[in-house]
Amino acid sequence: MTQNRERRPVKIDIAVCTYRRAELDQTLLSLAVLSVPSGTLVRIIVADNDVTPSARDRVDAMRSAVPFEITYVHCPASNISIARNACLDHATGDFVAFIDDDETASEDWLAELLVTADTTGAAAVLGPVRAVYPNMAPAWMRRGDFHSTLPVWVSGDIRTGYTCNALLRRSAPSLTGRRFNIALGRSGGEDTEFFAHMHKAGGRIAYAEDALVYEPVPSGRASVAWLTKRRFRMGQTHGRMLLESSAGLGRWKAIALAGAKSAYCFAAATLLAAFPVPRHRYGLRGIMHAGVVSGLFGVREIEQYGNLEEAPR
C-alpha cells in the first residue's frame, strides 16, 4: 500500500537591496499583503548597502506589520553588486525573488512569478515594472512611458534581464555559484551581465506579464539628462559584453554596425523633430548605440549610482 506523503513546502526568499531610502517602508508594506500560494513559505532579506547600518531601525520598526520573517543584512558600502550577492549568499529557499527598495508589488506579484516558473521550468522569470510619473514630468515622457522596464526579445528569446522584478530558481545549473560583478556595482549593468552569462550557460528566461510591480519616478529622473546618461551606460554595458566575444575584424564590424545604427537613429530623430515621443525614442536609442561603440572601444561604464540622489537599484 502506497503511503501518502505531504508535499514539501516551496520556500521563497524575497531580496530587497536598500540604500538610504525611506520608500523601503512602502515596499515592505506591499510585500506584507502579497497573495501567497498554499504550501509556500516566504522570508524577506533586506540587504543594507550603506556604510553604516542606517536601515536597521527602519526594518525593525516594520517587523510587526509584516507577517513574514525578515532577515536584515548589513553589507557596506555603496556597491549594489555587494548587496545583491549578500542576498544570494543568505538565500536558503527554492527561489529568490528580487524587488527594488523604491518599488511596490501588486498583490499577485509573487504568485504570478511562481506560476510561470512552474509552467515553464525556466531558470529565471522576469516581470514588468510600470513607471508611475509625477505630475511635473513632461507630457511626452508620460505618453511614451520611457521609464517602465520590460524584457527584450531577440528572435523570440529573452537573453538578458534585470533585478527590479525577477525570480531565480536556485537549483538551476546555470545559477550555481553565480554572482554579480562587483566591478559594475557603481555603474550599473551588473544585472544585465549576470542574466546574459546565465543565459549563455543554458539558463532559460521566461516572462510573467501579470507579475506587476510599480516604481515611482523621482523628479531627478524625469528628465532627458537622466534618460540620456542611463541609455548611454546601457549601451556601454552591451558593447563591453560584445567585446568579450569579438576580436580583430569582428570587433571593428561591431563598431561599424553600432555606429551606423546610432547615425540612423539620430537622423530619424531629426526628421521627427515635430513629434516629441518618437523624436526622443530615436534620439535615446541613438545615444544607446553610441554607448555600444564606447563599450567596444573598452571605455569603462560611467558611474551612475552610489549617492542618495542616484541610490543603487
Side-chain angles (χ1 to χ4, degrees), residues 62-281:
M62 294 298 297
R63 291 184 189 277
S64 61
V66 179
F68 311 121
E69 176 188 350
I70 302 178
T71 297
Y72 171 86
V73 182
H74 182 220
C75 45
S78 304
N79 183 308
I80 190 62
S81 292
I82 292 175
R84 298 204 200 288
N85 290 339
C87 291
L88 293 178
D89 292 341
H90 284 80
T92 59
D94 302 286
F95 296 90
V96 57
F98 279 93
I99 185 171
D100 283 353
D101 63 345
D102 58 346
E103 295 175 341
T104 55
S106 59
E107 183 178 344
D108 294 327
W109 169 65
L110 189 61
E112 292 291 343
L113 289 175
L114 288 170
V115 165
T116 301
D118 187 48
T119 55
T120 64
V125 180
L126 305 177
V129 180
R130 182 171 296 170
V132 180
Y133 286 97
N135 292 333
M136 53 72 60
W140 62 264
M141 188 178 290
R142 296 197 300 270
R143 288 199 309 273
D145 195 14
F146 284 82
H147 289 74
S148 290
T149 302
L150 297 168
V152 176
W153 280 266
V154 179
S155 302
D157 193 24
I158 303 174
R159 300 183 182 180
T160 189
Y162 42 79
T163 46
C164 46
N165 185 357
L167 181 75
L168 305 179
R169 186 185 303 273
R170 292 184 62 243
S171 63
S174 58
L175 287 168
T176 302
R178 190 169 302 284
R179 293 296 182 267
F180 294 88
N181 187 346
I182 292 177
L184 301 179
R186 289 179 64 88
S187 64
E190 78 295 332
D191 49 355
T192 300
E193 181 187 82
F194 179 94
F195 282 98
H197 287 173
M198 184 206 79
H199 181 268
K200 287 180 180 178
R204 190 153 58 93
I205 304 173
Y207 178 56
E209 63 178 348
D210 293 323
L212 269 171
V213 302
Y214 301 91
E215 180 181 29
V217 179
S219 58
R221 293 184 179 184
S223 68
V224 175
W226 188 87
L227 286 170
T228 296
K229 187 176 181 181
R230 184 161 177 80
R231 292 296 197 281
F232 186 79
R233 197 278 303 156
M234 290 170 65
Q236 284 184 303
T237 299
H238 183 62
R240 180 180 52 77
M241 292 173 62
L242 284 174
L243 190 59
E244 294 176 0
S245 57
S246 301
L249 185 59
R251 175 192 177 199
W252 290 106
K253 285 183 177 179
I255 289 172
L257 179 60
K261 288 181 176 179
S262 182
Y264 172 84
C265 289
F266 286 138
T270 301
L271 292 173
L272 294 166
F275 306 96
V277 172
R279 180 182 80 230
H280 284 97
R281 205 174 297 284

Side-chain angles (χ1 to χ4, degrees), residues 10-12 14 34 36 40-44 68-69 110:
V10 176
K11 297 181 179 180
I12 315 294
I14 301 177
L34 285 175
V36 179
T40 303
L41 298 179
V42 173
R43 178 176 68 131
I44 299 171
F68 311 121
E69 176 188 350
L110 189 61

Side-chain angles (χ1 to χ4, degrees), residues 21-51:
R21 273 218 173 106
E23 293 88 345
L24 175 64
D25 290 0
Q26 295 305 313
T27 301
L28 294 176
L29 287 174
S30 75
L31 299 180
V33 295
L34 285 175
S35 175
V36 179
S38 176
T40 303
L41 298 179
V42 173
R43 178 176 68 131
I44 299 171
I45 302 173
V46 177
D48 185 354
N49 203 208
D50 200 1
V51 177

